[in-house]
Amino acid sequence: MSKTNPVAASSKAKAAEADAKDADTKAASAGKDAPNPEAFLSVRDLRIHFDTDDGLVRSVDGVSFDLETGKTLGIVGESGSGKSVTSLGILGLHRSKRARISGEVWLDGEELISADPDRVRQLRGEKMSMIFQDPLTAMHPYYTVGAQIVEAYRVHHPQASKKAARGVAVEMLDRVGIPQPDRRVDDYPHQFSGGMRQRAMIAMSLVNNPKLLIADEPTTALDVTVQAQILDLIRDLQKEFGSAVIIITHDLGVVAELSDDILVMYGGKCVEKGTSETIFTAPEHPYTWGLLGSMPRMDRELQDRLIPVKGSPPSLINLPKGCAFNPRCPYAELTGGKSTTETPQLIEVKPGHRVACHLPEEKRHSIFRDEIAPRL
Ligand SMILES: Nc1ncnc2c1ncn2[C@@H]1O[C@H](COP(=O)(O)OP(=O)(O)OP(=O)(O)O)[C@@H](O)[C@H]1O
C-alpha cells in the first residue's frame, strides 16, 4: 500500500502534516454525520449563502441539529445571526437564483434540499408549517380570517366541501381561544387584536396537523401578558398535536420554559447546543453568557442585572478571522492567540452538549462559576 501511497512515501513531517489536515477535516465534518433516524427532523451541515452586490453573505454556515417528535428546540441569537434563514431553508423557501444552498434536511425520512420543489411545497402545510412574527404580513388583508384557514385546509384536503372546511376553521379558532369563533370566522384580520391575529395564524398553521411547527419570534410584537398566553398556547397545542416545534427568538427568556434543547447561533454558525437545563445552568460559550446576562430579571437592580454583550453583530460578508465572536469576547486573550487565527469547531464536551470555543475547558468552567453565575 505504501508503494502507491504518496503520503506514506513522503517524509515524517509530511505525514504529520497530512494527519493534522485529516484531523481538521474530521473536525470540520463533525456536523456532517449521518442523519439521526430517530429524529423527525435531522439537519446536517446546512449552508445558505446569498450572492449580493456587496459579496457573498454566509447567512447559515454549517448548521446541524436533530429534533424528535413532541420535542421543542429553541434557536436563539441576536438579529442577523441566521435564525430565520435557517428556518426558511428547512421550509424550502430560499430557492432563489441568488441563494446557494447545501447540506441535508431530512424530514420524516425524506431529504428536502435535493427534493423536487413541488414535493417540498406539498410538505409545507401538510407536514411542516410556520408561524411568522407578524401575522399581518402573513395573512391577506382582503380575505376573512375564516376564508384563509379554509383555503389552507382545502389545499391539502381538496375533497373537503366548503361547508366542512368552514366547520374545521371554526373549530380551530375555538381551539386557539378565539371567543365566539362561529361569528369571528367572518372577520377580516384587521378586525382582530394583535394577540387574536397571532392566535388565528396559529390556527391556520395547525389546521393540517403538521408534525413540524416553526415559530419565528412568535411573540415579539405582543405585550407581555399576551406573550405569555401565546407561549402557553403553543405548549398546549404541541402536547395535543404531538408536533415537533422550533421556536426562533433573540430572547432566551422566551425559550426558557418551552424548549427541551437550545441552539445558540452567532454569525451563521451554531456556537453552543445543549439541553435547556445545560444552557441555563452550565453554559460554556462566552456569547451564551452574554445572552443570559441580557435577560431582564425582576429581582435585581437594573445596573446589576443586565450584562449585555458589548459591540455589534458581525458582517456575514466579512466575518472576523478565527472565532467570529473574538472582537466582542472579553476572554479572547486567554486563548493563546487562537481566537484570531483558527475557527473553533463545535466539540462535544458532554453527551448532548457542544461548544465552539478556544478557551480551555477548565477555564470556561472557572470563569462561569466565579464571574458569570454570581451575576445571573
Ligand atoms: N435574500 C437574502 N439576500 C441576502 N442576504 C440575506 C437574505 N436573507 C437574509 N439575508 C441576510 O442573512 C443574515 C441572517 O438573516 P436572518 O433573518 O436569518 O437573521 P435572524 O437571526 O433571523 O435575525 P432577526 O432576528 O433580525 O430576524 C442577515 O444578515 C440578512 O441580511
Side-chain angles (χ1 to χ4, degrees):
M1 183 181 165
S2 59
K3 274 183 195 162
T4 54
N5 185 332
V7 174
S10 69
S11 66
K12 271 187 180 176
K14 271 194 174 169
E17 192 185 328
D19 279 347
K21 269 194 187 155
D22 189 37
D24 270 1
T25 316
K26 277 186 188 149
S29 61
K32 287 188 210 162
D33 44 351
N36 177 356
E38 307 271 299
F40 183 72
L41 174 70
S42 207
V43 175
R44 287 293 174 274
D45 200 32
L46 182 64
R47 286 168 206 266
I48 304 177
H49 299 170
F50 297 100
D51 271 321
T52 69
D53 295 342
D54 297 326
L56 191 65
V57 182
R58 292 181 168 82
S59 300
V60 179
D61 209 23
V63 168
S64 301
F65 61 85
D66 295 319
L67 181 58
E68 287 173 30
T69 300
K71 299 280 183 195
T72 300
L73 171 75
I75 302 186
V76 297
E78 287 164 303
S79 183
S81 54
K83 309 179 298 291
S84 301
V85 173
T86 302
S87 61
L88 294 174
I90 294 168
L91 291 160
L93 292 171
H94 266 316
R95 295 181 178 232
S96 76
K97 273 191 188 151
R98 294 198 141 199
R100 299 187 199 170
I101 306 178
S102 66
E104 296 171 11
V105 172
W106 291 88
L107 182 84
D108 202 11
E110 261 183 272
E111 205 290 297
L112 305 189
I113 300 288
S114 56
D116 187 84
D118 285 341
R119 176 63 185 148
V120 179
R121 202 170 299 128
Q122 191 185 3
L123 290 171
R124 267 199 312 271
E126 194 179 284
K127 282 196 180 177
M128 54 183 177
S129 186
M130 183 143 180
I131 304 172
F132 292 93
Q133 188 176 130
D134 178 6
L136 271 186
T137 53
M139 295 189 104
H140 202 294
Y142 296 155
Y143 296 97
T144 63
V145 168
Q148 296 184 60
I149 300 177
V150 163
E151 171 69 18
Y153 182 72
R154 291 188 82 207
V155 167
H156 298 285
H157 299 84
Q159 72 290 10
S161 68
K162 276 192 179 165
K163 196 172 169 219
R166 185 185 155 92
V168 172
V170 171
E171 190 193 319
M172 282 310 298
L173 288 177
D174 188 35
R175 275 162 108 163
V176 298
I178 302 284
Q180 298 177 283
D182 47 344
R183 197 170 62 73
R184 303 304 303 251
V185 70
D186 295 319
D187 281 356
Y188 290 88
H190 71 265
Q191 292 173 285
F192 276 27
S193 68
M196 273 168 59
R197 269 199 297 270
Q198 195 58 295
R199 285 172 190 269
M201 194 163 60
I202 293 174
M204 196 160 91
S205 310
L206 291 178
V207 72
N208 293 306
N209 197 1
K211 288 284 168 237
L212 171 67
L213 180 67
I214 303 180
D216 191 350
E217 301 276 6
T219 60
T220 303
L222 307 171
D223 69 52
V224 180
T225 328
V226 184
Q227 268 186 22
Q229 290 168 1
I230 295 291
L231 293 176
D232 282 349
L233 175 67
I234 293 176
R235 187 177 18 218
D236 292 348
L237 292 171
Q238 178 186 32
K239 277 199 196 122
E240 190 181 330
F241 287 78
S243 327
V245 174
I246 297 179
I247 303 230
I248 293 174
T249 176
H250 60 277
D251 180 357
L252 260 173
V254 164
V255 289
E257 286 176 31
L258 222 55
S259 297
D260 298 288
D261 292 313
I262 292 178
L263 186 156
V264 181
M265 279 190 84
Y266 189 80
K269 289 187 161 65
C270 171
V271 294
E272 183 158 16
K273 191 165 61 167
T275 62
S276 190
E277 196 193 344
T278 301
I279 297 298
F280 280 93
T281 60
E284 294 201 18
H285 198 286
Y287 179 60
T288 312
W289 299 340
L291 290 180
L292 283 166
S294 310
M295 278 171 60
R297 289 261 310 260
M298 301 306 285
D299 56 342
R300 299 265 175 93
E301 293 297 324
L302 192 64
Q303 65 272 27
D304 285 344
R305 71 181 186 232
L306 290 178
I307 324 162
V309 191
K310 292 203 174 92
S312 359
S315 148
L316 295 176
I317 296 178
N318 275 316
L319 276 178
K321 285 216 167 55
C323 170
F325 187 56
N326 88 72
R328 303 172 74 189
C329 181
Y331 309 102
E333 74 277 14
L334 303 178
T335 64
K338 273 190 184 173
S339 74
T340 50
T341 53
E342 285 176 39
T343 307
Q345 303 299 331
L346 190 65
I347 305 285
E348 190 162 61
V349 288
K350 286 204 186 71
H353 186 193
R354 286 175 179 253
V355 185
C357 178
H358 285 310
L359 285 171
E361 197 171 348
E362 316 77 65
K363 198 87 206 146
R364 296 197 297 260
H365 291 171
S366 64
I367 295 172
F368 180 70
R369 187 188 57 232
D370 302 336
E371 293 181 34
I372 309 294
R375 298 194 66 193
L376 293 178

PDB file of all heavy atoms in Angstrom, residues 273-292:
ATOM      1  N   LYS A 273     -24.788  24.246  21.897  1.00  0.00           N
ATOM      2  CA  LYS A 273     -26.029  23.496  21.779  1.00  0.00           C
ATOM      3  C   LYS A 273     -26.113  22.561  22.966  1.00  0.00           C
ATOM      4  O   LYS A 273     -25.116  21.960  23.362  1.00  0.00           O
ATOM      5  CB  LYS A 273     -25.957  22.692  20.471  1.00  0.00           C
ATOM      6  CG  LYS A 273     -27.231  22.067  20.048  1.00  0.00           C
ATOM      7  CD  LYS A 273     -27.160  21.604  18.588  1.00  0.00           C
ATOM      8  CE  LYS A 273     -26.090  20.576  18.356  1.00  0.00           C
ATOM      9  NZ  LYS A 273     -26.211  19.916  17.050  1.00  0.00           N
ATOM     10  N   GLY A 274     -27.271  22.480  23.567  1.00  0.00           N
ATOM     11  CA  GLY A 274     -27.412  21.568  24.708  1.00  0.00           C
ATOM     12  C   GLY A 274     -28.853  21.522  25.161  1.00  0.00           C
ATOM     13  O   GLY A 274     -29.722  22.180  24.574  1.00  0.00           O
ATOM     14  N   THR A 275     -29.100  20.783  26.223  1.00  0.00           N
ATOM     15  CA  THR A 275     -30.457  20.797  26.763  1.00  0.00           C
ATOM     16  C   THR A 275     -30.695  22.181  27.360  1.00  0.00           C
ATOM     17  O   THR A 275     -29.745  22.899  27.706  1.00  0.00           O
ATOM     18  CB  THR A 275     -30.634  19.751  27.879  1.00  0.00           C
ATOM     19  OG1 THR A 275     -29.742  20.106  28.937  1.00  0.00           O
ATOM     20  CG2 THR A 275     -30.336  18.339  27.388  1.00  0.00           C
ATOM     21  N   SER A 276     -31.966  22.494  27.517  1.00  0.00           N
ATOM     22  CA  SER A 276     -32.309  23.788  28.084  1.00  0.00           C
ATOM     23  C   SER A 276     -31.661  23.931  29.463  1.00  0.00           C
ATOM     24  O   SER A 276     -31.109  24.982  29.813  1.00  0.00           O
ATOM     25  CB  SER A 276     -33.833  23.854  28.171  1.00  0.00           C
ATOM     26  OG  SER A 276     -34.251  25.108  28.480  1.00  0.00           O
ATOM     27  N   GLU A 277     -31.693  22.848  30.229  1.00  0.00           N
ATOM     28  CA  GLU A 277     -31.116  22.899  31.576  1.00  0.00           C
ATOM     29  C   GLU A 277     -29.618  23.221  31.524  1.00  0.00           C
ATOM     30  O   GLU A 277     -29.122  24.070  32.268  1.00  0.00           O
ATOM     31  CB  GLU A 277     -31.352  21.563  32.282  1.00  0.00           C
ATOM     32  CG  GLU A 277     -31.143  21.681  33.764  1.00  0.00           C
ATOM     33  CD  GLU A 277     -31.063  20.345  34.460  1.00  0.00           C
ATOM     34  OE1 GLU A 277     -31.458  19.327  33.875  1.00  0.00           O
ATOM     35  OE2 GLU A 277     -30.580  20.342  35.612  1.00  0.00           O
ATOM     36  N   THR A 278     -28.924  22.567  30.600  1.00  0.00           N
ATOM     37  CA  THR A 278     -27.479  22.821  30.472  1.00  0.00           C
ATOM     38  C   THR A 278     -27.215  24.272  30.098  1.00  0.00           C
ATOM     39  O   THR A 278     -26.337  24.928  30.665  1.00  0.00           O
ATOM     40  CB  THR A 278     -26.877  21.895  29.386  1.00  0.00           C
ATOM     41  OG1 THR A 278     -27.114  20.555  29.770  1.00  0.00           O
ATOM     42  CG2 THR A 278     -25.392  22.125  29.219  1.00  0.00           C
ATOM     43  N   ILE A 279     -27.980  24.778  29.124  1.00  0.00           N
ATOM     44  CA  ILE A 279     -27.728  26.146  28.651  1.00  0.00           C
ATOM     45  C   ILE A 279     -27.992  27.156  29.773  1.00  0.00           C
ATOM     46  O   ILE A 279     -27.316  28.180  29.877  1.00  0.00           O
ATOM     47  CB  ILE A 279     -28.591  26.454  27.394  1.00  0.00           C
ATOM     48  CG1 ILE A 279     -28.209  25.523  26.234  1.00  0.00           C
ATOM     49  CG2 ILE A 279     -28.486  27.922  26.984  1.00  0.00           C
ATOM     50  CD1 ILE A 279     -26.780  25.641  25.737  1.00  0.00           C
ATOM     51  N   PHE A 280     -28.942  26.848  30.643  1.00  0.00           N
ATOM     52  CA  PHE A 280     -29.232  27.802  31.723  1.00  0.00           C
ATOM     53  C   PHE A 280     -28.374  27.593  32.968  1.00  0.00           C
ATOM     54  O   PHE A 280     -28.132  28.545  33.707  1.00  0.00           O
ATOM     55  CB  PHE A 280     -30.733  27.761  32.088  1.00  0.00           C
ATOM     56  CG  PHE A 280     -31.563  28.558  31.130  1.00  0.00           C
ATOM     57  CD1 PHE A 280     -32.143  27.954  30.028  1.00  0.00           C
ATOM     58  CD2 PHE A 280     -31.717  29.928  31.282  1.00  0.00           C
ATOM     59  CE1 PHE A 280     -32.883  28.689  29.112  1.00  0.00           C
ATOM     60  CE2 PHE A 280     -32.447  30.679  30.370  1.00  0.00           C
ATOM     61  CZ  PHE A 280     -33.032  30.059  29.284  1.00  0.00           C
ATOM     62  N   THR A 281     -27.909  26.359  33.184  1.00  0.00           N
ATOM     63  CA  THR A 281     -27.173  26.147  34.437  1.00  0.00           C
ATOM     64  C   THR A 281     -25.670  25.937  34.240  1.00  0.00           C
ATOM     65  O   THR A 281     -24.896  26.187  35.148  1.00  0.00           O
ATOM     66  CB  THR A 281     -27.725  24.933  35.223  1.00  0.00           C
ATOM     67  OG1 THR A 281     -27.587  23.774  34.395  1.00  0.00           O
ATOM     68  CG2 THR A 281     -29.174  25.120  35.601  1.00  0.00           C
ATOM     69  N   ALA A 282     -25.262  25.476  33.052  1.00  0.00           N
ATOM     70  CA  ALA A 282     -23.827  25.235  32.850  1.00  0.00           C
ATOM     71  C   ALA A 282     -23.393  25.636  31.441  1.00  0.00           C
ATOM     72  O   ALA A 282     -22.747  24.859  30.739  1.00  0.00           O
ATOM     73  CB  ALA A 282     -23.524  23.758  33.099  1.00  0.00           C
ATOM     74  N   PRO A 283     -23.742  26.863  31.008  1.00  0.00           N
ATOM     75  CA  PRO A 283     -23.354  27.277  29.652  1.00  0.00           C
ATOM     76  C   PRO A 283     -21.848  27.477  29.591  1.00  0.00           C
ATOM     77  O   PRO A 283     -21.231  27.865  30.588  1.00  0.00           O
ATOM     78  CB  PRO A 283     -24.091  28.608  29.486  1.00  0.00           C
ATOM     79  CG  PRO A 283     -24.221  29.143  30.867  1.00  0.00           C
ATOM     80  CD  PRO A 283     -24.371  27.956  31.765  1.00  0.00           C
ATOM     81  N   GLU A 284     -21.258  27.221  28.413  1.00  0.00           N
ATOM     82  CA  GLU A 284     -19.792  27.327  28.331  1.00  0.00           C
ATOM     83  C   GLU A 284     -19.304  28.354  27.322  1.00  0.00           C
ATOM     84  O   GLU A 284     -18.115  28.639  27.279  1.00  0.00           O
ATOM     85  CB  GLU A 284     -19.195  25.945  28.010  1.00  0.00           C
ATOM     86  CG  GLU A 284     -19.414  24.952  29.143  1.00  0.00           C
ATOM     87  CD  GLU A 284     -18.447  23.798  29.117  1.00  0.00           C
ATOM     88  OE1 GLU A 284     -17.407  23.892  28.459  1.00  0.00           O
ATOM     89  OE2 GLU A 284     -18.767  22.787  29.778  1.00  0.00           O
ATOM     90  N   HIS A 285     -20.190  28.879  26.485  1.00  0.00           N
ATOM     91  CA  HIS A 285     -19.700  29.840  25.484  1.00  0.00           C
ATOM     92  C   HIS A 285     -19.892  31.282  25.992  1.00  0.00           C
ATOM     93  O   HIS A 285     -20.978  31.623  26.478  1.00  0.00           O
ATOM     94  CB  HIS A 285     -20.448  29.655  24.163  1.00  0.00           C
ATOM     95  CG  HIS A 285     -19.722  30.280  23.018  1.00  0.00           C
ATOM     96  ND1 HIS A 285     -19.676  31.648  22.815  1.00  0.00           N
ATOM     97  CD2 HIS A 285     -18.978  29.735  22.031  1.00  0.00           C
ATOM     98  CE1 HIS A 285     -18.942  31.904  21.750  1.00  0.00           C
ATOM     99  NE2 HIS A 285     -18.512  30.759  21.249  1.00  0.00           N
ATOM    100  N   PRO A 286     -18.848  32.114  25.876  1.00  0.00           N
ATOM    101  CA  PRO A 286     -18.979  33.496  26.351  1.00  0.00           C
ATOM    102  C   PRO A 286     -20.154  34.242  25.722  1.00  0.00           C
ATOM    103  O   PRO A 286     -20.741  35.120  26.356  1.00  0.00           O
ATOM    104  CB  PRO A 286     -17.639  34.135  25.953  1.00  0.00           C
ATOM    105  CG  PRO A 286     -16.680  32.994  25.933  1.00  0.00           C
ATOM    106  CD  PRO A 286     -17.466  31.810  25.455  1.00  0.00           C
ATOM    107  N   TYR A 287     -20.531  33.890  24.481  1.00  0.00           N
ATOM    108  CA  TYR A 287     -21.685  34.566  23.871  1.00  0.00           C
ATOM    109  C   TYR A 287     -22.981  34.148  24.579  1.00  0.00           C
ATOM    110  O   TYR A 287     -23.851  34.981  24.830  1.00  0.00           O
ATOM    111  CB  TYR A 287     -21.739  34.209  22.376  1.00  0.00           C
ATOM    112  CG  TYR A 287     -22.919  34.840  21.671  1.00  0.00           C
ATOM    113  CD1 TYR A 287     -23.070  36.222  21.625  1.00  0.00           C
ATOM    114  CD2 TYR A 287     -23.893  34.054  21.051  1.00  0.00           C
ATOM    115  CE1 TYR A 287     -24.155  36.810  20.985  1.00  0.00           C
ATOM    116  CE2 TYR A 287     -24.973  34.630  20.406  1.00  0.00           C
ATOM    117  CZ  TYR A 287     -25.101  36.005  20.374  1.00  0.00           C
ATOM    118  OH  TYR A 287     -26.172  36.575  19.744  1.00  0.00           O
ATOM    119  N   THR A 288     -23.079  32.863  24.930  1.00  0.00           N
ATOM    120  CA  THR A 288     -24.266  32.401  25.670  1.00  0.00           C
ATOM    121  C   THR A 288     -24.336  33.112  27.019  1.00  0.00           C
ATOM    122  O   THR A 288     -25.416  33.499  27.474  1.00  0.00           O
ATOM    123  CB  THR A 288     -24.215  30.872  25.871  1.00  0.00           C
ATOM    124  OG1 THR A 288     -23.902  30.245  24.635  1.00  0.00           O
ATOM    125  CG2 THR A 288     -25.538  30.339  26.400  1.00  0.00           C
ATOM    126  N   TRP A 289     -23.169  33.312  27.651  1.00  0.00           N
ATOM    127  CA  TRP A 289     -23.157  34.038  28.933  1.00  0.00           C
ATOM    128  C   TRP A 289     -23.734  35.438  28.727  1.00  0.00           C
ATOM    129  O   TRP A 289     -24.501  35.934  29.551  1.00  0.00           O
ATOM    130  CB  TRP A 289     -21.726  34.156  29.484  1.00  0.00           C
ATOM    131  CG  TRP A 289     -21.064  32.835  29.757  1.00  0.00           C
ATOM    132  CD1 TRP A 289     -21.685  31.625  29.937  1.00  0.00           C
ATOM    133  CD2 TRP A 289     -19.660  32.587  29.872  1.00  0.00           C
ATOM    134  NE1 TRP A 289     -20.758  30.654  30.138  1.00  0.00           N
ATOM    135  CE2 TRP A 289     -19.503  31.209  30.115  1.00  0.00           C
ATOM    136  CE3 TRP A 289     -18.521  33.379  29.799  1.00  0.00           C
ATOM    137  CZ2 TRP A 289     -18.256  30.604  30.284  1.00  0.00           C
ATOM    138  CZ3 TRP A 289     -17.270  32.796  29.967  1.00  0.00           C
ATOM    139  CH2 TRP A 289     -17.152  31.419  30.212  1.00  0.00           C
ATOM    140  N   GLY A 290     -23.346  36.055  27.604  1.00  0.00           N
ATOM    141  CA  GLY A 290     -23.844  37.404  27.310  1.00  0.00           C
ATOM    142  C   GLY A 290     -25.357  37.400  27.111  1.00  0.00           C
ATOM    143  O   GLY A 290     -26.058  38.279  27.616  1.00  0.00           O
ATOM    144  N   LEU A 291     -25.858  36.398  26.376  1.00  0.00           N
ATOM    145  CA  LEU A 291     -27.310  36.339  26.158  1.00  0.00           C
ATOM    146  C   LEU A 291     -28.038  36.135  27.483  1.00  0.00           C
ATOM    147  O   LEU A 291     -29.078  36.746  27.741  1.00  0.00           O
ATOM    148  CB  LEU A 291     -27.678  35.190  25.207  1.00  0.00           C
ATOM    149  CG  LEU A 291     -27.276  35.321  23.735  1.00  0.00           C
ATOM    150  CD1 LEU A 291     -27.732  34.076  22.969  1.00  0.00           C
ATOM    151  CD2 LEU A 291     -27.895  36.560  23.105  1.00  0.00           C
ATOM    152  N   LEU A 292     -27.486  35.274  28.328  1.00  0.00           N
ATOM    153  CA  LEU A 292     -28.118  35.041  29.641  1.00  0.00           C
ATOM    154  C   LEU A 292     -28.080  36.307  30.481  1.00  0.00           C
ATOM    155  O   LEU A 292     -29.046  36.647  31.169  1.00  0.00           O
ATOM    156  CB  LEU A 292     -27.387  33.919  30.386  1.00  0.00           C
ATOM    157  CG  LEU A 292     -27.686  32.499  29.912  1.00  0.00           C
ATOM    158  CD1 LEU A 292     -26.661  31.524  30.477  1.00  0.00           C
ATOM    159  CD2 LEU A 292     -29.090  32.075  30.322  1.00  0.00           C
TER     160      LEU A 292
END
